[in-house]
Each structure stands twice: as C-alpha cells, then as structure tokens.
Coordinates of all heavy atoms in Angstrom, one line a residue:
E30 N 10.7 92.6 -2.2 CA 9.4 91.9 -2.5 C 8.3 92.7 -1.8 O 8.4 93.0 -0.6 CB 9.4 90.5 -2.1 CG 8.2 89.7 -2.4 CD 8.2 88.3 -2.0 OE1 9.2 87.6 -2.5 OE2 7.4 87.8 -1.2
H31 N 7.2 92.9 -2.5 CA 6.1 93.6 -1.9 C 5.2 92.6 -1.1 O 5.0 91.5 -1.6 CB 5.3 94.2 -3.1 CG 4.3 95.2 -2.6 ND1 3.0 94.8 -2.2 CD2 4.3 96.5 -2.4 CE1 2.3 95.9 -1.8 NE2 3.1 97.0 -1.9
P32 N 4.7 93.0 0.0 CA 3.9 92.0 0.8 C 2.6 91.6 0.2 O 2.1 90.5 0.6 CB 3.7 92.7 2.2 CG 3.9 94.2 1.8 CD 4.8 94.2 0.7
M33 N 2.0 92.4 -0.7 CA 0.8 92.0 -1.3 C 0.9 91.4 -2.7 O 0.2 90.5 -3.1 CB -0.1 93.2 -1.4 CG -0.7 93.7 -0.1 SD -2.0 95.0 -0.4 CE -1.2 96.3 -1.2
L34 N 1.9 91.9 -3.5 CA 1.9 91.6 -4.9 C 2.9 90.5 -5.2 O 3.9 90.4 -4.6 CB 2.4 92.8 -5.7 CG 1.4 94.0 -5.7 CD1 2.0 95.1 -6.5 CD2 0.1 93.6 -6.3
R35 N 2.5 89.7 -6.2 CA 3.4 88.6 -6.7 C 3.4 88.8 -8.3 O 2.3 88.8 -8.9 CB 3.0 87.2 -6.3 CG 3.9 86.2 -6.8 CD 3.5 84.8 -6.3 NE 2.4 84.2 -7.0 CZ 2.5 83.6 -8.2 NH1 3.6 83.4 -8.8 NH2 1.4 83.1 -8.7
R36 N 4.5 88.9 -8.9 CA 4.6 89.0 -10.3 C 4.2 87.7 -11.0 O 4.5 86.7 -10.5 CB 6.0 89.4 -10.7 CG 6.2 89.7 -12.2 CD 5.8 91.2 -12.5 NE 5.9 91.5 -13.9 CZ 6.8 92.3 -14.4 NH1 7.7 92.9 -13.7 NH2 6.7 92.6 -15.7
V37 N 3.4 87.8 -12.0 CA 2.9 86.7 -12.8 C 3.4 86.7 -14.2 O 3.4 87.8 -14.8 CB 1.3 86.7 -12.8 CG1 0.8 85.5 -13.6 CG2 0.7 86.7 -11.4
E38 N 4.0 85.6 -14.7 CA 4.5 85.6 -16.0 C 3.3 85.7 -17.0 O 2.3 85.1 -16.9 CB 5.3 84.3 -16.3 CG 6.5 84.2 -15.4 CD 7.5 85.3 -15.7 OE1 7.7 85.7 -16.9 OE2 8.1 85.8 -14.8
G39 N 3.5 86.5 -18.1 CA 2.5 86.6 -19.1 C 3.1 87.5 -20.2 O 4.2 88.0 -20.2
T40 N 2.2 87.7 -21.2 CA 2.6 88.5 -22.4 C 2.7 90.0 -22.0 O 3.4 90.8 -22.6 CB 1.7 88.3 -23.6 OG1 0.3 88.6 -23.1 CG2 1.8 86.9 -24.1
R41 N 1.9 90.4 -21.0 CA 1.8 91.8 -20.5 C 2.3 91.7 -19.0 O 2.1 90.7 -18.3 CB 0.5 92.4 -20.6 CG 0.0 92.6 -22.0 CD -1.2 93.4 -22.0 NE -2.3 92.5 -22.1 CZ -3.6 92.9 -22.0 NH1 -3.9 94.1 -21.8 NH2 -4.5 92.0 -22.2
P42 N 2.8 92.8 -18.5 CA 3.2 92.9 -17.1 C 1.9 92.6 -16.2 O 0.9 93.3 -16.4 CB 3.7 94.3 -16.9 CG 4.1 94.7 -18.2 CD 3.2 94.1 -19.2
S43 N 2.0 91.7 -15.3 CA 0.9 91.3 -14.5 C 1.3 90.9 -13.1 O 2.4 90.4 -12.9 CB 0.1 90.1 -15.1 OG -0.4 90.4 -16.4
W44 N 0.5 91.2 -12.1 CA 0.7 90.8 -10.8 C -0.6 90.2 -10.2 O -1.7 90.4 -10.7 CB 1.1 92.0 -9.9 CG 2.4 92.6 -10.2 CD1 3.5 92.4 -9.6 CD2 2.7 93.5 -11.3 NE1 4.6 93.1 -10.2 CE2 4.1 93.8 -11.2 CE3 2.0 94.1 -12.3 CZ2 4.7 94.7 -12.1 CZ3 2.6 95.0 -13.2 CH2 4.0 95.2 -13.1
E45 N -0.5 89.5 -9.1 CA -1.7 89.0 -8.4 C -1.5 89.3 -6.9 O -0.4 89.4 -6.4 CB -1.9 87.5 -8.7 CG -0.9 86.6 -8.0 CD -1.2 85.1 -8.4 OE1 -2.0 84.8 -9.2 OE2 -0.6 84.3 -7.7
I46 N -2.7 89.3 -6.2 CA -2.7 89.4 -4.8 C -3.4 88.2 -4.3 O -4.6 87.9 -4.7 CB -3.4 90.7 -4.4 CG1 -2.7 91.9 -4.9 CG2 -3.5 90.8 -2.8 CD1 -3.5 93.2 -4.7
R47 N -2.8 87.5 -3.4 CA -3.5 86.3 -2.7 C -4.0 86.8 -1.4 O -3.2 87.0 -0.5 CB -2.5 85.2 -2.5 CG -2.0 84.6 -3.8 CD -1.3 83.2 -3.6 NE -2.3 82.3 -3.0 CZ -3.1 81.5 -3.7 NH1 -3.1 81.6 -5.0 NH2 -3.9 80.7 -3.0
W48 N -5.3 87.0 -1.3 CA -5.9 87.6 -0.1 C -5.9 86.6 1.1 O -6.1 87.1 2.2 CB -7.3 88.0 -0.4 CG -7.3 89.1 -1.4 CD1 -7.8 89.1 -2.7 CD2 -6.8 90.5 -1.2 NE1 -7.6 90.3 -3.3 CE2 -7.0 91.2 -2.4 CE3 -6.2 91.1 -0.1 CZ2 -6.7 92.5 -2.5 CZ3 -5.8 92.5 -0.3 CH2 -6.1 93.1 -1.5
D49 N -5.6 85.3 0.8 CA -5.5 84.4 2.0 C -4.1 84.3 2.5 O -3.8 83.5 3.4 CB -6.0 83.0 1.6 CG -5.2 82.4 0.4 OD1 -4.5 83.2 -0.3 OD2 -5.3 81.2 0.2
D50 N -3.1 85.1 2.0 CA -1.8 85.2 2.5 C -1.8 85.6 4.0 O -2.4 86.6 4.3 CB -0.9 86.1 1.6 CG 0.5 86.1 2.0 OD1 0.9 86.2 3.2 OD2 1.4 86.0 1.1
H51 N -1.1 84.9 4.8 CA -1.1 85.3 6.3 C -0.6 86.7 6.5 O -1.0 87.3 7.5 CB -0.2 84.3 7.1 CG 1.3 84.4 6.8 ND1 1.9 83.9 5.7 CD2 2.2 85.1 7.6 CE1 3.2 84.2 5.8 NE2 3.4 84.9 6.9
R52 N 0.2 87.3 5.6 CA 0.7 88.7 5.8 C -0.4 89.7 5.6 O -0.3 90.8 6.0 CB 1.9 88.9 4.9 CG 3.1 88.1 5.2 CD 4.2 88.3 4.1 NE 3.7 87.8 2.9 CZ 4.3 87.9 1.7 NH1 5.5 88.5 1.7 NH2 3.8 87.4 0.6
L53 N -1.5 89.3 5.0 CA -2.6 90.2 4.7 C -3.8 89.9 5.7 O -4.9 90.3 5.3 CB -3.0 90.1 3.3 CG -1.9 90.4 2.3 CD1 -2.5 90.2 0.8 CD2 -1.4 91.8 2.4
S54 N -3.6 89.3 6.8 CA -4.7 88.9 7.7 C -5.4 90.2 8.2 O -6.6 90.1 8.5 CB -4.2 88.1 8.9 OG -3.2 88.8 9.6
W55 N -4.7 91.3 8.2 CA -5.4 92.6 8.7 C -6.5 93.0 7.8 O -7.4 93.7 8.2 CB -4.3 93.7 8.7 CG -3.6 93.9 7.4 CD1 -2.5 93.3 7.0 CD2 -4.0 94.8 6.4 NE1 -2.1 93.8 5.8 CE2 -3.1 94.7 5.4 CE3 -5.1 95.6 6.2 CZ2 -3.2 95.4 4.2 CZ3 -5.2 96.3 5.0 CH2 -4.2 96.2 4.0
V56 N -6.5 92.5 6.5 CA -7.6 92.9 5.6 C -8.9 92.3 6.1 O -10.0 93.0 6.0 CB -7.3 92.4 4.2 CG1 -8.5 92.6 3.3 CG2 -6.1 93.1 3.6
G57 N -8.9 91.2 6.8 CA -10.1 90.6 7.3 C -10.8 91.4 8.4 O -11.9 91.1 8.8
H58 N -10.1 92.4 8.9 CA -10.7 93.2 10.0 C -11.4 94.4 9.4 O -11.9 95.3 10.2 CB -9.6 93.7 10.9 CG -8.9 92.6 11.6 ND1 -9.4 91.8 12.5 CD2 -7.6 92.1 11.4 CE1 -8.6 90.9 12.9 NE2 -7.4 91.1 12.2
H59 N -11.5 94.6 8.1 CA -12.1 95.7 7.4 C -13.5 95.3 7.0 O -13.8 95.0 5.9 CB -11.3 96.2 6.2 CG -11.7 97.5 5.7 ND1 -12.3 97.6 4.5 CD2 -11.5 98.7 6.2 CE1 -12.6 98.9 4.3 NE2 -12.1 99.6 5.3
H60 N -14.4 95.4 8.0 CA -15.8 95.1 7.8 C -16.7 96.3 7.4 O -16.5 97.3 8.0 CB -16.4 94.4 9.1 CG -15.8 93.1 9.4 ND1 -16.4 91.9 9.0 CD2 -14.7 92.8 10.0 CE1 -15.7 90.9 9.4 NE2 -14.6 91.4 10.1
V61 N -17.5 96.1 6.4 CA -18.4 97.1 6.0 C -19.8 96.4 5.8 O -19.9 95.5 5.0 CB -18.0 97.8 4.7 CG1 -19.1 98.8 4.3 CG2 -16.7 98.5 4.9
L62 N -20.8 96.8 6.6 CA -22.1 96.3 6.6 C -22.1 94.7 6.6 O -22.8 94.0 5.9 CB -22.8 96.7 5.3 CG -23.0 98.2 5.2 CD1 -23.7 98.6 3.8 CD2 -23.9 98.8 6.3
G63 N -21.2 94.2 7.5 CA -21.2 92.7 7.7 C -20.3 92.0 6.7 O -20.2 90.7 6.8
S64 N -19.7 92.6 5.7 CA -18.9 91.9 4.8 C -17.4 92.4 4.9 O -17.2 93.6 5.3 CB -19.3 92.2 3.3 OG -20.6 91.7 3.1
V65 N -16.5 91.6 4.5 CA -15.1 92.0 4.5 C -14.8 92.6 3.2 O -15.0 92.0 2.1 CB -14.1 90.8 4.8 CG1 -12.7 91.2 4.7 CG2 -14.4 90.2 6.1
I66 N -14.4 93.9 3.2 CA -14.1 94.7 2.0 C -12.7 95.0 1.9 O -12.1 95.4 2.9 CB -15.0 96.0 2.0 CG1 -16.4 95.7 2.2 CG2 -14.7 96.8 0.8 CD1 -17.1 95.0 1.0
V67 N -12.0 94.8 0.8 CA -10.6 95.2 0.6 C -10.6 96.8 0.6 O -11.3 97.4 -0.2 CB -10.0 94.7 -0.7 CG1 -8.6 95.2 -0.9 CG2 -10.1 93.2 -0.7
P68 N -9.8 97.4 1.5 CA -9.6 98.8 1.5 C -9.1 99.3 0.2 O -8.2 98.7 -0.4 CB -8.7 99.1 2.6 CG -8.7 97.9 3.5 CD -9.0 96.7 2.6
G69 N -9.6 100.4 -0.3 CA -9.2 101.0 -1.5 C -7.7 101.4 -1.5 O -7.0 101.3 -2.5
A70 N -7.2 101.7 -0.3 CA -5.8 102.0 -0.2 C -4.9 100.9 -0.6 O -3.8 101.1 -1.1 CB -5.5 102.4 1.2
C71 N -5.4 99.6 -0.4 CA -4.6 98.5 -0.9 C -4.4 98.5 -2.4 O -3.3 98.2 -2.9 CB -5.3 97.2 -0.6 SG -5.4 96.7 1.2
Y72 N -5.4 98.8 -3.1 CA -5.3 98.9 -4.6 C -4.4 100.0 -5.0 O -3.6 99.9 -6.0 CB -6.7 99.0 -5.2 CG -7.4 97.6 -5.2 CD1 -8.4 97.4 -4.4 CD2 -6.9 96.6 -6.0 CE1 -9.0 96.2 -4.3 CE2 -7.6 95.4 -6.0 CZ -8.6 95.1 -5.1 OH -9.2 93.9 -5.1
I73 N -4.5 101.2 -4.3 CA -3.7 102.3 -4.7 C -2.2 101.9 -4.5 O -1.3 102.2 -5.3 CB -4.0 103.5 -3.8 CG1 -5.5 103.9 -4.1 CG2 -3.1 104.7 -4.1 CD1 -5.8 104.5 -5.4
E74 N -1.9 101.4 -3.3 CA -0.5 101.0 -3.0 C 0.0 99.9 -4.0 O 1.1 100.0 -4.5 CB -0.4 100.4 -1.6 CG 0.8 99.6 -1.2 CD 2.1 100.4 -1.4 OE1 2.1 101.7 -1.4 OE2 3.2 99.8 -1.6
A75 N -0.8 99.0 -4.3 CA -0.4 97.9 -5.3 C -0.2 98.5 -6.7 O 0.8 98.2 -7.3 CB -1.5 96.9 -5.4
A76 N -1.0 99.4 -7.1 CA -0.8 100.1 -8.4 C 0.4 100.9 -8.5 O 1.2 100.9 -9.4 CB -2.0 100.9 -8.8
L77 N 0.7 101.7 -7.4 CA 1.9 102.5 -7.4 C 3.1 101.6 -7.3 O 4.1 102.0 -8.0 CB 1.8 103.4 -6.1 CG 0.8 104.5 -6.2 CD1 0.7 105.3 -4.9 CD2 1.1 105.5 -7.4
H78 N 3.1 100.5 -6.6 CA 4.3 99.7 -6.5 C 4.6 99.0 -7.9 O 5.7 99.0 -8.4 CB 4.1 98.6 -5.5 CG 5.2 97.6 -5.4 ND1 6.4 97.9 -4.8 CD2 5.4 96.4 -6.0 CE1 7.3 96.9 -5.0 NE2 6.7 96.0 -5.7
A79 N 3.5 98.5 -8.6 CA 3.7 97.9 -9.9 C 4.2 98.9 -10.9 O 5.1 98.6 -11.7 CB 2.3 97.3 -10.3
A80 N 3.7 100.1 -10.9 CA 4.2 101.2 -11.8 C 5.6 101.5 -11.5 O 6.4 101.7 -12.4 CB 3.3 102.4 -11.7
R81 N 6.0 101.6 -10.3 CA 7.4 101.9 -9.9 C 8.3 100.8 -10.3 O 9.4 101.0 -10.8 CB 7.4 102.1 -8.4 CG 8.7 102.7 -7.9 CD 8.6 103.1 -6.4 NE 7.9 102.2 -5.5 CZ 6.8 102.4 -4.9 NH1 6.1 103.6 -5.1 NH2 6.2 101.5 -4.2
E82 N 7.8 99.5 -10.2 CA 8.6 98.4 -10.6 C 8.8 98.4 -12.1 O 9.9 98.1 -12.6 CB 7.9 97.1 -10.2 CG 8.8 95.8 -10.5 CD 8.1 94.6 -9.9 OE1 7.8 94.6 -8.7 OE2 8.0 93.6 -10.7
L83 N 7.8 98.8 -12.9 CA 7.9 98.8 -14.4 C 8.8 100.0 -14.8 O 9.6 99.8 -15.8 CB 6.5 99.0 -15.0 CG 5.7 97.7 -15.1 CD1 4.4 98.0 -15.7 CD2 6.4 96.6 -15.9
T84 N 8.6 101.2 -14.2 CA 9.3 102.4 -14.7 C 10.6 102.7 -14.0 O 11.4 103.4 -14.6 CB 8.4 103.6 -14.6 OG1 8.2 103.9 -13.2 CG2 7.0 103.4 -15.3
G85 N 10.8 102.1 -12.8 CA 12.0 102.5 -12.1 C 11.9 103.8 -11.4 O 12.9 104.3 -10.9
S86 N 10.8 104.5 -11.5 CA 10.6 105.8 -11.0 C 9.4 105.9 -10.1 O 8.4 105.2 -10.3 CB 10.4 106.9 -12.1 OG 11.6 106.9 -12.9
P87 N 9.3 106.8 -9.1 CA 8.1 107.0 -8.4 C 7.0 107.5 -9.3 O 7.2 108.2 -10.3 CB 8.5 108.1 -7.4 CG 10.0 108.1 -7.3 CD 10.4 107.7 -8.7
C88 N 5.8 107.1 -9.0 CA 4.6 107.4 -9.8 C 3.5 108.0 -8.9 O 3.6 108.0 -7.7 CB 4.1 106.2 -10.5 SG 5.2 105.4 -11.6
A89 N 2.5 108.6 -9.5 CA 1.4 109.2 -8.8 C 0.1 108.9 -9.5 O 0.1 108.6 -10.7 CB 1.6 110.7 -8.7
L90 N -1.0 108.8 -8.7 CA -2.3 108.6 -9.3 C -3.1 109.9 -8.9 O -3.0 110.4 -7.9 CB -3.0 107.4 -8.7 CG -2.3 106.1 -9.0 CD1 -3.0 105.0 -8.2 CD2 -2.4 105.8 -10.5
E91 N -4.0 110.3 -9.9 CA -4.9 111.4 -9.6 C -6.3 110.9 -10.0 O -6.5 110.1 -10.9 CB -4.5 112.6 -10.4 CG -3.2 113.2 -10.0 CD -2.8 114.4 -10.9 OE1 -3.5 114.7 -11.9 OE2 -1.9 115.1 -10.5
F92 N -7.3 111.5 -9.3 CA -8.7 111.3 -9.6 C -9.1 109.8 -9.7 O -9.6 109.3 -10.7 CB -9.1 112.0 -11.0 CG -8.6 113.4 -11.0 CD1 -7.6 113.8 -11.8 CD2 -9.3 114.3 -10.2 CE1 -7.2 115.1 -11.9 CE2 -8.9 115.7 -10.2 CZ -7.8 116.1 -11.0
V93 N -8.8 109.1 -8.6 CA -9.1 107.6 -8.6 C -10.5 107.5 -8.2 O -11.0 108.1 -7.3 CB -8.2 107.0 -7.5 CG1 -8.5 105.5 -7.3 CG2 -6.7 107.1 -7.9
E94 N -11.2 106.6 -8.9 CA -12.6 106.3 -8.6 C -12.8 104.8 -8.5 O -12.3 104.1 -9.4 CB -13.5 106.9 -9.6 CG -14.9 106.7 -9.4 CD -15.8 107.4 -10.4 OE1 -15.4 108.6 -10.8 OE2 -16.8 106.8 -10.9
F95 N -13.4 104.3 -7.5 CA -13.7 102.8 -7.4 C -15.1 102.6 -7.8 O -16.1 103.2 -7.2 CB -13.5 102.3 -6.0 CG -12.0 102.4 -5.6 CD1 -11.5 103.5 -4.8 CD2 -11.1 101.4 -6.0 CE1 -10.2 103.6 -4.4 CE2 -9.8 101.5 -5.6 CZ -9.3 102.6 -4.8
E96 N -15.4 101.8 -8.8 CA -16.7 101.5 -9.3 C -17.5 100.5 -8.4 O -18.7 100.6 -8.3 CB -16.7 101.0 -10.7 CG -16.2 102.1 -11.6 CD -16.2 101.7 -13.1 OE1 -16.9 100.7 -13.4 OE2 -15.7 102.4 -13.9
R97 N -16.8 99.6 -7.8 CA -17.4 98.6 -6.9 C -16.4 98.1 -5.9 O -15.2 98.2 -6.1 CB -18.0 97.5 -7.6 CG -17.1 96.7 -8.5 CD -17.8 95.5 -9.2 NE -16.9 94.9 -10.1 CZ -17.0 94.9 -11.4 NH1 -18.0 95.5 -11.9 NH2 -16.1 94.4 -12.2
A98 N -16.9 97.6 -4.8 CA -16.0 97.1 -3.7 C -15.5 95.6 -4.1 O -16.2 94.9 -4.7 CB -16.7 97.1 -2.4
C99 N -14.4 95.3 -3.5 CA -13.9 93.9 -3.6 C -14.3 93.2 -2.3 O -13.7 93.5 -1.3 CB -12.4 93.8 -3.8 SG -11.7 92.2 -3.9
V100 N -15.3 92.4 -2.4 CA -15.8 91.7 -1.2 C -15.2 90.3 -1.1 O -15.2 89.6 -2.0 CB -17.4 91.5 -1.2 CG1 -17.9 90.8 0.0 CG2 -18.0 92.9 -1.4
L101 N -14.6 90.0 0.1 CA -13.9 88.8 0.3 C -14.8 87.8 1.0 O -15.5 88.1 1.8 CB -12.6 89.0 1.1 CG -11.5 89.9 0.5 CD1 -10.3 90.0 1.4 CD2 -11.1 89.4 -0.9
S102 N -14.6 86.5 0.6 CA -15.3 85.4 1.2 C -14.3 84.6 1.9 O -13.1 84.9 2.0 CB -16.1 84.6 0.2 OG -15.2 83.9 -0.7
D103 N -14.7 83.4 2.5 CA -13.8 82.5 3.2 C -13.0 81.7 2.2 O -12.0 81.1 2.6 CB -14.6 81.6 4.1 CG -15.2 82.3 5.3 OD1 -14.7 83.4 5.6 OD2 -16.2 81.9 5.8
A104 N -13.4 81.6 1.0 CA -12.6 80.8 0.0 C -11.4 81.6 -0.4 O -11.4 82.8 -0.5 CB -13.5 80.6 -1.2
P105 N -10.2 80.9 -0.8 CA -9.1 81.6 -1.3 C -9.4 82.4 -2.5 O -10.1 81.9 -3.4 CB -8.1 80.5 -1.6 CG -8.6 79.3 -0.8 CD -10.1 79.5 -0.7
Q106 N -8.9 83.6 -2.6 CA -9.2 84.5 -3.7 C -7.9 85.2 -4.2 O -7.0 85.4 -3.5 CB -10.2 85.6 -3.3 CG -11.5 85.1 -2.9 CD -12.5 86.2 -2.5 OE1 -12.1 87.3 -2.4 NE2 -13.7 85.8 -2.5
L107 N -7.9 85.5 -5.5 CA -6.9 86.2 -6.2 C -7.5 87.5 -6.8 O -8.6 87.5 -7.1 CB -6.3 85.4 -7.3 CG -5.5 84.1 -7.0 CD1 -5.1 83.4 -8.3 CD2 -4.3 84.5 -6.2
S108 N -6.7 88.5 -6.8 CA -7.0 89.8 -7.5 C -6.0 90.1 -8.5 O -4.9 89.7 -8.4 CB -7.2 90.9 -6.6 OG -8.3 90.8 -5.8

C-alpha cells in the first residue's frame, strides 16, 4: 500500500490522496509565501506509483510542468 494513494472504485482507474492523513503530516511543513503548498515531487511519486500499479512495470515521466500549485488549508482535502 502506498502511503499517499488510495485506489477509488470507478469506471476508470482512479486514486485519491487524503492530505489530512497523519502519515502525510510532513507536507504541512512545506511553506511558500505563508501558504502550505504540496511539493511537486508528491505528484510525481503518486503518478509513477499509479502507472506502475496499472502496468506492472516501472514507468518514467519527462518534461513535467506544473500549471499551478496545490495550496492546502486547514479543512480536510482530497486530490
């Protein structure tokens, strides 16, 4: 089981991340200009794990670009 991802039942392969999970408390220490921002590496790791789970093989990403930051608040959040 991956510490960030939880598989969600649906018509297409889907996962969610519960940012209020106690195992992800370290994310709350990633402050940028006074806001808690999810590090891009979290999304890269999650994408690679999901792809590996679907294909059964190691995967790679190239030319990754983040269009906007994921800013966390005190309310429970899912991604």
Side-chain angles (χ1 to χ4, degrees):
E30 180 177 307
H31 194 275
M33 287 190 301
L34 294 178
R35 184 176 75 83
R36 187 82 185 251
V37 179
E38 294 299 321
T40 56
R41 290 190 265 172
S43 301
W44 292 262
E45 69 180 13
I46 300 173
R47 295 194 61 85
W48 295 112
D49 60 342
D50 186 311
H51 72 280
R52 296 173 295 176
L53 301 178
S54 62
W55 57 269
V56 174
H58 302 291
H59 192 252
H60 291 264
V61 176
L62 299 175
S64 297
V65 176
I66 305 292
V67 176
C71 288
Y72 284 106
I73 300 294
E74 166 58 23
L77 290 172
H78 177 81
R81 190 170 44 249
E82 187 175 306
L83 281 178
T84 65
S86 300
C88 299
L90 295 173
E91 295 181 349
F92 308 110
V93 176
E94 183 175 317
F95 294 98
E96 293 185 12
R97 61 178 170 246
C99 178
V100 179
L101 299 181
S102 67
D103 291 335
Q106 295 183 346
L107 294 174
S108 287

